[in-house]
Amino acid sequence: MADEIDLSSNPFVPPASGRCAINELPSELLIHIFTLGWTPERDQEPQDEPDFDDVDSDGGTCSSVSSDESESVLQRKEDEHKQRHLPFNVLVSHICARWRDVAVGNPLLWSHVRFDGPPPYDRAVTYLERAKSAPLAITVDRTDDSDIETVDSEAGIYRPRDSDPDLSIIAGIMDLIVPYVQQWQALQIMVSFYPHMHRALEALGAAGPAPLLEVLQLYHYEDTDEHVRFKHPELREQPFRLFQGAAPRLTQVALWGVHLPWDKDGCPFLSGLTDLELAYHARDVRPSFYDFARILRASPGLRTLTLCLSCPADTPADWPASGLPAAPPAAEDAYDSAAAAPLVLPRLTDLVLAYLEPAYLLALLPRLALPALASLALDLEQDDYSALLAYLASPRSLPLPQPSLSLSSSSSSSPSALRGPGVAGAPGTRSLLAGLTSLKVASLPASEHVVRDAYRQLGALAALNLNADYLDSWWVDLLFPPSTDPARPSGFPVPAFRPRPRSKSRAGDGAVDGDGDGNGNGGEGAAGGELLLPRLETLTTTGVDGQRMRELVEARAARGRPLRAVLMNHEDDVTANDEAWLRKHVDRFEFFEGSDDEDLSDDEDDVFGEVLSDDGDNEWEDEDEDEDEDDDDDDEDGSDEDEEDFEDDDFDEFLVHVPF
């Protein structure tokens, strides 16, 4: 007879004595284990579950998997399948009586509450009850992607159908959560229709102070081409103050298509911010220049700033001559040298700019001094941004505060009268681009020689993300060492456009010729044998095929500057052979799902992207306070460098959106 197998130490075989060692652990240790197990998935969007069987079972103590031997095999299999798909916090409460008591009694397992889909919201209500007095992270998702109707079939315009026209659902949700306002630590509200958001804002105005609130994210996703006038004039005014003006711990704010009373009396809590995202505001509801300046001046610790088709109001011609003063001068002849100097944001490391005109940005950026900037994301289209890119690559883009000037000074009224390295005899030639370690360019029409000059300034860049579908060919061409690009024979000029035409275009009339002289003859390759972006290690692309990427990886490796990580859009032309070759020749190769924007849609994707990552990826993000100081590490881990992370000491994570 064969020797019997000893299964006494097999963790999947119950001990013959009936003793279960894990049940001998103290409850405090079980609580800690459950919390660790729940943390990785607590912010993930739940799978479709029509029923929440746990609602009425708090009085019970039995496992949801019955031990009744008379139970049918089919029923048992159904229960086991259901168990495998339960959220971790619910799953551990279904194992045995003791585990249920421990899990249900641990408020941190139930502190992330989500209102998603149609009512009833039994799950969310149960979570609120079990969370007891714990700080809460609440998500309200009233976006409607399922039911769409054709508004204009000829134009191909599709809009979601309002599933809550009488506002009863959003009002009911707010009635459920407002009583817990003093426990809110993070609040995210997403809607497809602005009247829903306005009803939510009214509820927040009627709520009391929010003493624990750190994260406020209000997203109104509505497809519209109207960016001049607010579509709902009857809802423009807001005769209320959110949280009665009291949210002393608020540090991270995102407002997409949602305006507030921007003045200090209406929004006193817009101060001391570390992350600010303003997006998709019609011109007539944007903050005034002075309110915008006041918010920035009141947030000297700001680390992430996102401006996407928003802020500040009016045109540069209506702004003060220089600087970012928080208020008009007391007298016409008064001069405040501090207000006229560029506003220094010493801790700002991440800047996102999207859908803003060149003249607007060229008037705004010289008013800011960003000495710590490490990550820049740009999505600018339908114009020629060569002048903007040239500015970013010049020493003028790192201005220093001006010295005190007298009223008679000829430079006191000039917005370009800035001090900085390389300007007016100051030492050094460093530009804003020189300090970047991460750059994402989704669209930026600019001439080739300007792009080359910008690349020359990016000597510290470690991570680059390019959407070649919406960029001119030289953004990728210039990454090749000189004379190694198979598409460019040695000694021949670089063509103005790749022989392989771009499959998509958003640059429109803003496209420019190769060398910017207007004659379309193109520019020359990387001059002097120089290798641009010598420290580049992580490259993320959309619109680049596998063969082209292989050529680039091989060429840079031959020059001793290999790419370490390559991430490519899964929709691009990458054969199995290409994939196998790339996996062999780089340390990390991955595919990613492109955002809606990369699929030729101007709509916002969840960016939070992949944020969502929004830009796609709908995730809440929790990072250590100091992680943002080194975006290189994030890029090497494969995370989206444009994700705007928010800090949550040791509690929750929120999904952060980026505009592209």
Side-chain angles (χ1 to χ4, degrees):
M1 181 177 176
D3 294 339
E4 293 185 1
I5 300 176
D6 182 10
L7 299 178
S8 60
S9 60
N10 189 323
F12 298 99
V13 176
S17 63
R19 174 177 174 267
C20 188
I22 194 170
N23 281 335
E24 299 177 6
L25 294 177
S27 296
E28 293 80 5
L29 188 53
L30 273 182
I31 288 174
H32 183 64
I33 293 172
F34 291 170
T35 302
L36 293 177
W38 169 233
T39 299
E41 67 173 71
R42 66 186 178 185
D43 302 312
Q44 295 178 4
E45 191 168 340
Q47 299 179 357
D48 293 337
E49 299 177 33
D51 300 316
F52 180 41
D53 294 342
D54 210 43
V55 171
D56 299 321
S57 56
D58 279 351
T61 59
C62 64
S63 167
S64 64
V65 180
S66 173
S67 60
D68 188 349
E69 295 181 359
S70 65
E71 181 183 31
S72 69
V73 174
L74 179 60
Q75 181 63 43
R76 188 172 302 174
K77 288 183 177 180
E78 289 179 354
D79 286 344
E80 291 175 354
H81 175 77
K82 185 175 181 179
Q83 284 287 341
R84 286 195 296 268
H85 291 81
L86 285 176
F88 180 85
N89 58 338
V90 177
L91 177 62
V92 295
S93 72
H94 283 198
I95 302 303
C96 64
R98 180 166 182 251
W99 281 32
R100 181 170 187 79
D101 290 341
V102 171
V104 171
N106 180 6
L108 292 182
L109 291 185
W110 316 100
S111 58
H112 283 228
V113 185
R114 187 179 186 93
F115 293 83
D116 193 4
Y121 300 108
D122 294 337
R123 178 189 297 274
V125 171
T126 298
Y127 276 37
L128 286 172
E129 293 171 352
R130 292 180 181 175
K132 299 178 183 177
S133 60
L136 298 172
I138 297 178
T139 295
V140 177
D141 187 352
R142 288 299 302 150
T143 56
D144 192 342
D145 298 326
S146 57
D147 295 325
I148 59 175
E149 60 182 1
T150 303
V151 176
D152 184 346
S153 58
E154 293 183 0
I157 300 175
Y158 296 88
R159 300 193 187 281
R161 181 183 294 111
D162 190 347
S163 60
D164 186 21
D166 59 359
L167 306 179
S168 60
I169 297 177
I170 188 67
I173 293 173
M174 299 308 296
D175 288 343
L176 287 172
I177 65 174
V178 163
Y180 298 88
V181 63
Q182 293 197 352
Q183 294 174 236
W184 294 354
Q185 188 174 40
L187 176 64
Q188 180 186 71
I189 301 178
M190 299 175 285
V191 303
S192 295
F193 304 96
Y194 187 79
H196 298 179
M197 181 61 72
H198 188 79
R199 178 58 60 90
L201 293 175
E202 288 179 329
L204 297 181
L212 301 183
L213 188 65
E214 298 176 6
V215 180
L216 177 64
Q217 297 172 332
L218 305 177
Y219 298 105
H220 165 220
Y221 306 104
E222 188 167 0
D223 188 14
T224 178
D225 294 329
E226 177 56 71
H227 301 299
V228 177
R229 296 184 181 279
F230 184 56
K231 287 179 58 178
H232 303 275
E234 73 281 4
L235 302 179
R236 176 178 176 177
E237 299 300 325
Q238 299 177 4
F240 48 77
R241 291 197 306 171
L242 271 58
F243 317 117
Q244 297 182 8
R249 297 182 62 178
L250 187 64
T251 58
Q252 303 183 34
V253 174
L255 301 171
W256 280 30
V258 179
H259 65 280
L260 301 175
W262 301 107
D263 60 283
K264 186 175 182 179
D265 291 336
C267 288
F269 47 80
L270 292 182
S271 62
L273 304 179
T274 60
D275 299 78
L276 176 62
E277 184 174 5
L278 300 173
Y280 303 105
H281 291 115
R283 294 182 183 275
D284 58 346
V285 293
R286 296 179 183 179
S288 71
F289 179 91
Y290 294 109
D291 285 329
F292 176 71
R294 177 188 56 78
I295 294 170
L296 293 189
R297 287 185 175 275
S299 303
L302 195 67
R303 298 180 306 173
T304 300
L305 176 62
T306 298
L307 300 178
C308 175
L309 200 67
S310 180
C311 222
D314 301 320
T315 65
D318 302 312
W319 299 350
S322 62
L324 272 176
E332 291 186 3
D333 59 347
Y335 180 79
D336 185 342
S337 61
L343 174 61
V344 179
L345 295 175
R347 298 193 62 189
L348 192 83
T349 58
D350 296 75
L351 177 64
V352 180
L353 302 172
Y355 310 135
L356 296 170
E357 300 84 357
Y360 187 97
L361 291 172
L362 284 169
L364 178 62
L365 291 178
R367 300 166 186 265
L368 298 172
L370 311 174
L373 191 68
S375 177
L376 177 65
L378 302 170
D379 191 357
L380 305 167
E381 57 182 30
Q382 296 181 347
D383 214 327
D384 182 0
Y385 287 85
S386 296
L388 174 67
L389 189 57
Y391 168 78
L392 294 174
S394 73
R396 293 181 297 114
S397 60
L398 269 185
L400 298 176
Q402 292 174 316
S404 299
L405 300 174
S406 64
L407 289 176
S408 61
S409 173
S410 60
S411 62
S412 63
S413 62
S414 172
S416 62
L418 305 175
R419 295 178 60 246
V423 177
T429 58
R430 180 180 172 86
S431 71
L432 192 67
L433 297 183
L436 296 185
T437 58
S438 175
L439 173 66
K440 179 176 182 178
V441 185
S443 180
L444 187 68
S447 62
E448 182 178 3
H449 78 276
V450 173
V451 175
R452 185 190 303 112
D453 289 344
Y455 275 0
R456 286 182 174 134
Q457 284 291 312
L458 292 168
L461 195 76
L464 177 65
N465 187 324
L466 297 177
N467 187 339
D469 283 335
Y470 303 130
L471 292 170
D472 291 303
S473 60
W474 41 82
W475 286 90
V476 174
D477 294 343
L478 290 170
L479 300 179
F480 281 84
S483 303
T484 63
D485 184 348
R488 305 179 182 181
S490 178
F492 281 74
V494 176
F497 295 92
R498 291 279 302 160
R500 184 185 304 111
R502 289 177 294 169
S503 59
K504 308 168 185 177
S505 175
R506 292 191 301 176
D509 295 338
V512 292
D513 71 293
D515 58 3
D517 60 6
N519 59 19
N521 62 0
E524 296 182 357
E530 64 182 327
L531 175 66
L532 301 176
L533 279 62
R535 297 186 182 180
L536 182 65
E537 294 187 346
T538 300
L539 179 61
T540 303
T541 62
T542 293
V544 176
D545 62 42
Q547 178 61 33
R548 186 73 168 148
M549 184 61 74
R550 288 176 59 172
E551 295 167 356
L552 179 57
V553 169
E554 189 171 24
R556 293 187 70 94
R559 283 293 300 268
R561 297 291 183 176
L563 294 173
R564 303 293 185 186
V566 171
L567 293 82
M568 301 184 70
N569 192 307
H570 75 108
E571 293 186 352
D572 287 331
D573 184 11
V574 181
T575 67
N577 288 338
D578 294 334
E579 179 182 353
W581 189 95
L582 288 167
R583 291 190 185 279
K584 180 179 180 181
H585 289 83
V586 297
D587 295 340
R588 183 169 61 90
F589 175 80
E590 293 180 9
F591 288 108
F592 66 91
E593 293 187 8
S595 68
D596 293 340
D597 198 13
E598 290 169 343
D599 290 333
L600 286 181
S601 169
D602 288 333
D603 299 337
E604 293 308 326
D605 39 59
D606 177 339
V607 347
F608 257 89
E610 326 187 286
V611 70
L612 212 199
S613 172
D614 216 352
D615 249 325
D617 313 86
N618 288 333
E619 302 177 353
W620 296 37
E621 181 110 0
D622 184 22
E623 89 174 288
D624 186 277
E625 179 177 355
D626 296 325
E627 281 185 290
D628 63 303
E629 296 178 1
D630 190 352
D631 290 340
D632 281 355
D633 295 340
D634 295 336
D635 297 333
E636 292 171 2
D637 291 338
S639 61
D640 191 328
E641 60 263 32
D642 296 318
E643 266 187 61
E644 296 176 23
D645 303 323
F646 76 84
E647 169 185 344
D648 168 64
D649 293 333
D650 54 1
F651 176 64
D652 58 342
E653 310 165 340
F654 236 44
L655 171 69
V656 178
H657 297 239
V658 296
F660 57 91

